[in-house]
Amino acid sequence: TVWDHRWKAGRLRDVLGNLAEAQVGVIGDFCLDVYWPLEPEPGPVALETGRPTRRVREQRCALGGAGVVAMNLHALAGGFRAFGVVGDDPWGRELLRQIKAIGWAEGMLDADAGWMTPVYIKPYLGDEEQERIDLGMRSRLSEERADLLIAMLERNLPDALVISEQLGEALFTPRLRAELQRVIHENPDTLFIVDSRHFGGVWTGVLARLNAHEAAAAIGHPVSLADIVSGELAGRAALELSAHTGRPA
């Protein structure tokens, strides 16, 4: 691979080998997964619609998206720094509460007015997940909030930063991506790891973590999720992405 010998020789090993002492951060799409076990029998008919209702037996909320990365870092390193935004809604308050319970949340900024916290509501009948209800998929970060978030990141830049994207241009607008790329170039001693569903092939100076389908799409050879990416294509994608980023992929 064609990546800087400084990482190969020592810095990568130093950071990953001493996670308990290293400062590690996550910037990305912090979401909330909400689980609704349903009563098996329909509830009473609603007077307003004349249709049967569904009763939720209980509600359980868990961190999703970049929050899963944060939980893993908490387990491995004992802490992390979170950078993102939360909406002024009940889901956002629960999201922030859970982040604060396991890590540093000062980098979680209030979002723009109208921003809906990303939520995946998963109703279950028995062990079978029903149609999922998604909230906040159309939210988009303003340039002002992007600049504030980058400024917060630069003031508190950790030893290693995971860039976790799964919602496209909700948080990761062109402005945020450009400013984040600038931060990457200006901080060569910081380890940047990208886990990006839609922009995995655009970054430079990062370690890229992609699945085979994402990697194939990143080099211009998308493969249907119903099909298997060949070993030859996956290998070629890894080499091309590594050549582009200057780090392993």
Side-chain angles (χ1 to χ4, degrees):
T1 57
V2 286
W3 55 298
D4 195 315
H5 73 279
R6 288 176 299 174
W7 287 106
K8 184 175 182 180
R11 182 62 170 158
L12 176 62
R13 183 171 57 250
D14 289 344
V15 173
L16 296 182
N18 297 280
L19 278 176
E21 290 78 31
Q23 294 180 345
V24 185
V26 184
I27 183 170
D29 294 317
F30 283 87
C31 308
L32 201 64
D33 289 335
V34 179
Y35 299 89
W36 284 354
L38 302 175
E39 295 288 356
E41 299 299 327
V45 172
L47 296 178
E48 298 83 357
T49 65
R51 303 182 66 179
T53 58
R54 278 291 183 186
R55 290 183 170 178
V56 177
R57 183 180 304 160
E58 60 180 313
Q59 175 172 277
R60 182 172 64 86
C61 300
L63 293 174
V68 175
V69 178
M71 287 191 296
N72 290 337
L73 289 175
H74 173 68
L76 291 171
F80 62 91
R81 295 181 176 183
F83 300 92
V85 297
V86 292
D88 183 19
D89 51 44
W91 306 118
R93 290 187 280 277
E94 174 62 18
L95 176 64
L96 190 59
R97 185 193 69 80
Q98 293 205 18
I99 293 173
K100 286 181 176 179
I102 59 174
W104 182 90
E106 292 180 32
M108 297 298 297
L109 305 183
D110 292 336
D112 303 285
W115 174 282
M116 294 177 63
T117 300
V119 181
Y120 298 102
I121 299 176
K122 304 176 181 183
Y124 274 82
L125 273 176
D127 295 329
E128 185 176 348
E129 183 176 340
Q130 306 300 298
E131 291 184 352
R132 197 179 71 196
I133 303 169
D134 295 349
L135 305 179
M137 300 299 113
R138 295 184 180 275
S139 298
R140 187 179 177 89
L141 193 69
S142 69
E143 291 191 353
E144 178 186 9
R145 278 295 186 273
D147 291 345
L148 289 173
L149 184 57
I150 290 295
M152 173 64 78
L153 174 65
E154 289 185 290
R155 290 195 299 269
N156 300 278
L157 191 65
D159 299 316
L161 181 72
V162 179
I163 300 167
S164 178
E165 174 275 317
Q166 72 175 48
L167 300 179
E169 293 191 346
L171 182 77
F172 288 90
T173 60
R175 176 62 162 259
L176 186 79
R177 298 200 306 272
E179 286 299 293
L180 191 51
Q181 185 64 77
R182 175 185 60 77
V183 173
I184 293 169
H185 285 163
E186 293 178 357
N187 294 275
D189 290 330
T190 299
L191 171 62
F192 294 92
I193 303 173
V194 168
D195 183 355
S196 179
R197 184 171 296 178
H198 300 93
F199 309 117
V202 306
W203 309 92
T204 58
V206 302
L207 294 173
R209 180 269 175 203
L210 305 91
N211 63 39
H213 285 86
E214 292 166 348
I219 65 167
H221 295 279
V223 177
S224 169
L225 292 177
D227 298 324
I228 296 175
V229 177
S230 69
E232 185 276 331
L233 178 56
R236 179 155 58 91
L239 290 175
E240 290 188 22
L241 287 169
S242 181
H244 172 73
T245 64
R247 301 283 189 270

